[in-house]
Amino acid sequence: MKKNLSILGATGSIGTSALDVVKKHSDKFRVVGLSGHRNIDLLLRQIKEFHPAVVAVTDTGACGEITSQCGGETRVVCGVEGAKEVATLDDVDMVVSAVVGAVGLLPTLAAIKAGKDIALANKETLVIGGALIAPALAESGVALLPVDSEHSAIFQSIRGHGKAEIRRLILTASGGPFRTWRREEIEKATLKEALRHPNWNMGSKITIDSATMMNKGLEMIEAHWLFGVDPEAIDILIHPESIVHSMVEYIDGVIIAQLGIPDMRIPIAYALGYPHRLDMELKRLNFAETGSLTFESPDRAKFPAITLAYEAIREGGTFPAVMNAANEEAVRAFMRGGVSFTGIHELVRRVMDRHKSLTVSLENILEADAWARRQAAEILGK
Ligand SMILES: NC(=O)c1ccc[n+]([C@@H]2O[C@H](COP(=O)([O-])OP(=O)(O)OC[C@H]3O[C@@H](n4cnc5c(N)ncnc54)[C@H](OP(=O)(O)O)[C@@H]3O)[C@@H](O)[C@H]2O)c1
């Protein structure tokens, strides 16, 4: 029987790769729902190709446009409520959560509560709402499969082992385009330079986060919630070749790692096909060609975002939501030329310094997220 999918963020880098997996294994998957935000042309092409029953367009302006252009059997729904509808359709088995940013939390939470398995790319869901997601998963009994390559690697390296046997998780990181740059050079980094990721082809927000290394901070928090491991037992290790996707160290000193070429279709296919592996007919890893694999510690003085993330999760409460929202605003400001590259982590730091944590509830997380964006705007306005 085919697995019915809704793909949130279908027009993005992960969304289009997920549709590649569906195309390659059309005997196993059927697309029932899609969501996009502003990329109407691509969404219309996807509707034509995959014939989803329902499509959500979260940008309300774009939604009007697509409704008039989209005839046939596909129903169009608008805004965040539309995304929630696509995430909770009766005949959907699994939701691929692949929008970018904190906006992913509400539809993902709705999908879990509606009993849908989740393939999670939207790490922000766990960063800001991890304390809500864990009990929601336990209550509904659905599976949450990580799509992030590092978490997929840990998930695969952890199978068959009890939590008590884990000593630490080792999240690998390419180090981004500025790994070898001096601090003074990084201060002057341009948008074009920050968007030039050495190994991965991704959406612009995560590419900038990889350059600041905030992405690894977000991933550390994601790993904490996914695997129930204390943040202090999650290490970050620079591995410029992006071949070892992450590792688990056990109490007997043994380390189990997952390796492969850097192509997001591999972890996506693993999440969609779980517990079975799917052949995507991709280039295979050839160690003789790869040569050496190298590792080094991250330089936290050059990349202070890593420290911000450890601080945020240690403080707990609404701190991770505030850090995430401030970072989203800071990255947006950098992309439009409103702050320098190093201004990104400085802005996040200033917003976090102003915050008094609230206890965790959905209402407080959303309030903290909105508060952090207002603080960022105020600081940027000065
Ligand atoms: N790309 C990767 O290789 C990768 C790897 C691991 C994890 N992730 C995570 O996966 C998520 C998606 O990343 P990505 O690189 O695929 O991003 P992306 O290419 O920028 O795509 C983002 C998707 O979200 C939609 N979107 C943008 N703003 C939205 C909003 N306000 N409300 C609802 N939808 C919105 C976009 O729609 P339109 O394009 O139609 O405007 C698009 O479909 C992120 O959380 C990222 O951290 C990505």
Side-chain angles (χ1 to χ4, degrees):
M1 224 172 65
K2 288 190 185 184
K3 199 180 265 186
N4 287 338
L5 304 176
S6 270
I7 303 178
L8 305 177
T11 47
S13 160
I14 293 289
T16 49
S17 294
L19 286 169
D20 277 352
V21 176
V22 170
K23 227 182 317 186
K24 182 100 197 135
H25 293 280
S26 54
D27 56 322
K28 295 189 173 61
F29 305 108
R30 178 187 296 119
V31 172
V32 177
L34 293 176
S35 92
H37 191 57
R38 289 197 177 137
N39 193 344
I40 298 301
D41 291 346
L42 179 56
L43 196 54
L44 281 168
R45 286 203 299 278
Q46 292 176 343
I47 292 170
K48 231 181 215 163
E49 184 170 2
F50 295 96
H51 310 287
V54 187
V55 160
V57 184
T58 37
D59 182 278
T60 37
C63 196
E65 206 180 308
I66 204 166
T67 310
S68 59
Q69 290 183 54
C70 170
E73 72 268 70
T74 300
R75 187 161 60 85
V76 180
V77 291
C78 300
V80 180
E81 288 309 311
K84 282 203 235 166
E85 187 175 338
V86 162
T88 56
L89 292 168
D90 278 348
D91 48 352
V92 164
D93 303 307
M94 176 180 256
V95 172
V96 181
S97 174
V99 301
V100 61
V103 288
L105 175 62
L106 291 178
T108 308
L109 195 54
I112 294 169
K113 289 184 176 168
K116 312 300 181 191
D117 287 338
I118 307 290
L120 187 77
N122 178 258
K123 62 192 78 179
E124 296 89 346
T125 287
L126 281 175
V127 170
I128 73 174
L132 307 177
I133 297 291
L137 286 171
E139 196 174 316
S140 67
V142 300
L144 187 147
L145 286 315
V147 163
D148 231 332
S149 58
E150 294 78 358
H151 304 76
S152 179
I154 292 170
F155 184 80
Q156 293 175 61
S157 303
I158 233 167
R159 282 181 73 183
H161 296 278
K163 213 178 108 188
E165 297 178 334
I166 298 169
R167 181 177 286 152
R168 63 181 176 133
L169 307 181
I170 304 165
L171 282 175
T172 53
S174 71
F178 306 137
R179 180 177 63 88
T180 57
W181 287 32
R182 291 198 316 275
R183 245 164 117 170
E184 316 78 76
E185 292 172 320
I186 294 177
E187 272 169 28
K188 297 190 199 94
T190 64
L191 176 59
K192 203 167 155 208
E193 289 162 338
L195 285 174
R196 214 179 289 138
H197 194 281
N199 304 336
W200 295 95
N201 185 10
M202 311 180 283
S204 49
K205 157 71 168 51
I206 185 177
T207 306
I208 304 294
D209 282 348
S210 298
T212 61
M213 292 208 65
M214 175 57 91
N215 185 47
K216 222 36 67 174
L218 299 174
E219 287 179 4
M220 177 273 295
I221 300 176
E222 182 185 10
H224 161 66
W225 289 113
L226 271 174
F227 305 111
V229 173
D230 193 272
E232 307 310 325
I234 306 174
D235 290 349
I236 294 169
L237 183 66
I238 305 290
H239 167 49
E241 296 82 11
S242 298
I243 296 290
V244 178
H245 295 305
S246 277
M247 317 185 226
V248 180
E249 182 183 322
Y250 290 94
I251 49 172
D252 57 0
V254 164
I255 294 179
I256 299 182
Q258 182 258 333
L259 289 72
I261 60 160
D263 189 317
M264 283 309 294
R265 287 171 295 181
I266 296 174
I268 293 170
Y270 185 76
L272 300 195
Y274 183 80
H276 306 291
R277 290 183 185 273
L278 305 176
D279 184 1
M280 288 298 294
E281 292 178 29
L282 300 173
K283 183 171 175 271
R284 287 161 60 193
L285 190 54
N286 179 332
F287 283 108
E289 256 177 33
T290 306
S292 55
L293 299 178
T294 58
F295 302 93
E296 64 196 45
S297 291
D299 183 341
R300 288 210 192 182
K302 269 191 346 190
F303 300 105
I306 298 175
T307 303
L308 292 176
Y310 278 97
E311 270 180 43
I313 191 68
R314 218 176 290 130
E315 290 285 342
T318 45
F319 263 95
V322 163
M323 180 195 73
N324 177 71
N327 181 58
E328 284 185 24
E329 294 304 317
V331 170
R332 206 167 285 156
F334 172 66
M335 288 175 72
R336 59 165 194 262
V339 289
S340 67
F341 183 75
T342 45
I344 297 175
H345 73 76
E346 286 162 6
L347 179 60
V348 178
R349 157 65 65 210
R350 287 181 68 184
V351 174
M352 282 174 69
D353 283 348
R354 290 180 175 193
H355 189 55
K356 303 245 176 317
S357 189
L358 308 170
T359 53
V360 173
S361 66
L362 183 57
E363 206 179 35
N364 284 350
I365 288 170
L366 298 179
E367 165 53 28
D369 176 281
W371 175 88
R373 290 174 203 273
R374 286 197 302 274
Q375 299 302 311
E378 190 191 298
I379 294 167
L380 287 169
K382 275 182 190 163

